[in-house]
Amino acid sequence: MKAVATGLLVLLAVIFLVAFALQERYPWLQYVRAAAEGGMVGALADWFAVTALFKHPMGVKIPHTAIIPRRKDQIGASLGQFVEQNFLAEDVVQAKIRSLGISRRAGSWLARPENADRVAREGAAAIRGAMLVLNDQDVQDIIESMARRYVLDPPWGPPLGRLARRVLDDGHHLKLVDLLVDRAADWVLDNEGTVIRLVSERSPTWVPQIMDSLMGLKVHQELYKFVTAVQADPNHEVRRQLDKYLLSLTEDMQHDPEMIAKVEAIKHNALGDPEVRTLAARTWETIKAALLDAVGDPESQLSRAFTTAVRDFGTRLATDVELSAKVDGWITEATGYLVRNYRTQIAGVITETVERWDATETSRKIELQVGRDLQFIRINGTVVGSLAGLAIFTVADLLLR
């Protein structure tokens, strides 16, 4: 295109020379000369304008030339600002997101079995990669620190007391009491000999053995009667005293410093440093082994459940209007938040990228992208200049006659 535009300039120059040389002999060639003269002026002017965008014409550093290489950074900043203000405006982006119907499209895609299987495979690969990349000791340290922060460091007494109080208020402990009384009754019934032996061992040596046996038998009978009475009567004094003791215990666990200290001592004795560290290690090893085994087998229960869940979720997204509207709302709000808070940084990518470009190379690339249109500007300038020169000469010639 440069050759065409330049060739047209050369052609007009030749026509101008011929017409200028023969216009005395052939007066009508004056009009041809004027047209060629105007065309050369237009071609040269537009050549200078087009060239001045990308370089210094003929290497001469004329002011306000080589505009793109000199102002590359400002152009990049202006382009970034233009994109930020016109394309990354929150209302523009949110309107576009709402018009896309992302949730329904995603739901239709996920509802297809082959796509759900693909998501499950990719998810399994991601889990395997994460398991292999994670440092076991680091994860164990995190689990241990979380256990200490959320389990061991807070006092156990008050929350356990409140929990126990709710259990007592709701009567959930009664079944446990019934179970203990039933077991006690069964034990007493099945261990008559044990009761008699214990009585005999604790009676004075001068008491005849027959009396020991009779006494032991009587104690066993009375003990069994007592236990069965407690078993049969929901309002037995023993039960009321037990409830009273448990209620008192729950209050002490919440408010009595001595009881709270005892609970803390039991906690630290049961869960000291070695125990917590061992528990964290075993917890992570168990979780890791279970996940790796599950994701490594496409037919495992976890893999099948995950695939089914993905497919079901996709079906719901595609068919449930209320759910899809909620998801679209979340996506729109999230996009609006990102644009609202990070659009300057996003648009800054354009500015920073342009700043890193080489000025000469940038100018050359832009010239190649828009070069054909720029050369058409030169050609149009040549044609318009020719017509203008012809018109100006014609009007002047008519006025001077």
Side-chain angles (χ1 to χ4, degrees):
M1 292 304 300
K2 281 185 176 181
V4 172
T6 304
L8 188 57
L9 172 61
V10 172
L11 176 62
L12 287 177
V14 172
I15 293 174
F16 171 78
L17 292 175
V18 173
F20 184 80
L22 300 177
Q23 64 182 348
E24 296 295 336
R25 184 182 304 177
Y26 305 103
W28 59 270
L29 287 178
Q30 297 178 24
Y31 293 93
V32 176
R33 185 214 69 199
E37 187 176 10
M40 286 191 297
V41 172
L44 289 172
D46 285 345
W47 166 82
F48 181 88
V50 169
T51 303
L53 286 173
F54 303 100
K55 63 187 73 175
H56 298 294
M58 302 181 68
V60 180
K61 294 185 178 182
I62 302 172
H64 304 291
T65 59
I67 296 173
I68 291 178
R70 287 191 306 103
R71 300 184 61 83
K72 170 181 67 69
D73 294 346
Q74 293 89 331
I75 293 173
S78 299
L79 180 60
Q81 186 178 13
F82 175 78
V83 170
E84 177 183 349
Q85 294 177 352
N86 295 276
F87 293 93
L88 294 179
E90 184 176 352
D91 55 343
V92 173
V93 175
Q94 287 186 328
K96 182 62 177 178
I97 293 296
R98 280 193 292 268
S99 69
L100 293 177
I102 294 176
S103 62
R104 288 181 176 273
R105 294 187 180 185
S108 299
W109 189 84
L110 291 173
R112 292 196 289 269
E114 63 274 14
N115 294 331
D117 292 338
R118 178 181 177 183
V119 171
R121 289 195 303 271
E122 296 296 337
I127 292 174
R128 281 197 300 271
M131 293 297 103
L132 295 176
V133 169
L134 290 174
N135 183 280
D136 291 346
Q137 187 59 50
D138 292 341
V139 178
Q140 292 171 16
D141 291 342
I142 293 174
I143 295 176
E144 182 180 351
S145 64
M146 291 180 65
R148 293 186 184 281
R149 180 176 180 180
Y150 296 104
V151 178
L152 295 182
D153 290 346
W156 281 16
L160 286 178
R162 289 190 294 270
L163 176 62
R165 182 57 185 265
R166 286 197 296 269
V167 171
L168 293 175
D169 291 341
D170 295 337
H172 296 306
H173 70 294
L174 297 178
K175 292 184 178 180
L176 178 60
V177 173
D178 290 339
L179 177 62
L180 293 176
V181 173
D182 291 342
R183 290 295 179 88
D186 292 339
W187 185 89
V188 173
L189 181 63
D190 296 335
N191 290 272
E192 178 182 339
T194 302
V195 174
I196 294 173
R197 179 174 55 81
L198 291 174
V199 172
S200 299
E201 290 176 353
R202 286 164 175 74
S203 67
T205 55
W206 50 267
V207 177
Q209 187 174 1
I210 184 65
M211 293 299 295
D212 288 342
S213 299
L214 292 174
M215 183 63 70
L217 182 60
K218 182 63 175 177
V219 170
H220 176 265
Q221 291 174 351
E222 294 299 324
L223 181 61
Y224 184 69
K225 288 180 182 180
F226 174 77
V227 174
T228 53
V230 175
Q231 187 180 25
D233 185 4
N235 294 316
H236 196 278
E237 180 65 21
V238 172
R239 290 177 180 267
R240 291 199 301 270
Q241 291 298 323
L242 179 60
D243 288 347
K244 182 178 179 181
Y245 168 75
L246 292 176
L247 287 173
S248 175
L249 180 62
T250 61
E251 291 298 319
D252 291 344
M253 292 175 65
Q254 295 181 67
H255 308 294
D256 185 6
E258 184 177 353
M259 179 59 70
I260 294 174
K262 288 181 180 180
V263 175
E264 290 300 298
I266 294 173
K267 177 185 72 176
H268 289 294
N269 288 335
L271 297 173
D273 288 342
E275 289 80 4
V276 174
R277 193 169 296 111
T278 301
L279 178 62
R282 289 180 178 175
T283 301
W284 171 240
E285 290 173 359
T286 302
I287 295 174
K288 182 178 180 180
L291 282 176
L292 288 177
D293 290 342
V295 301
D297 181 10
E299 299 301 322
S300 68
Q301 184 176 359
L302 178 61
S303 297
R304 291 199 302 271
F306 182 68
T307 303
T308 303
V310 171
R311 188 167 57 249
D312 292 345
F313 179 68
T315 302
R316 286 194 60 197
L317 274 180
T319 58
D320 190 332
V321 177
E322 184 178 354
L323 177 61
S324 63
K326 285 183 179 180
V327 173
D328 283 340
W330 295 336
I331 295 174
T332 302
E333 288 300 322
T335 306
Y337 174 81
L338 291 175
V339 171
R340 185 167 57 251
N341 292 278
Y342 299 103
R343 66 176 186 172
T344 301
Q345 290 85 339
I346 296 172
V349 174
I350 299 175
T351 303
E352 294 170 3
T353 302
V354 173
E355 287 177 352
R356 290 195 298 268
W357 287 352
D358 177 74
T360 303
E361 183 67 14
T362 301
S363 177
R364 190 184 69 83
K365 287 182 178 181
I366 295 176
E367 185 178 8
L368 288 175
Q369 290 297 319
V370 297
R372 293 180 60 86
D373 292 327
L374 293 177
Q375 300 311 313
F376 271 116
I377 291 175
R378 291 178 57 191
I379 294 173
N380 292 336
T382 303
V383 174
V384 171
S386 298
L387 295 175
L390 178 60
I392 292 172
F393 179 78
T394 301
V395 171
D397 185 53
L398 291 175
L399 293 176
L400 293 177
R401 284 184 179 181

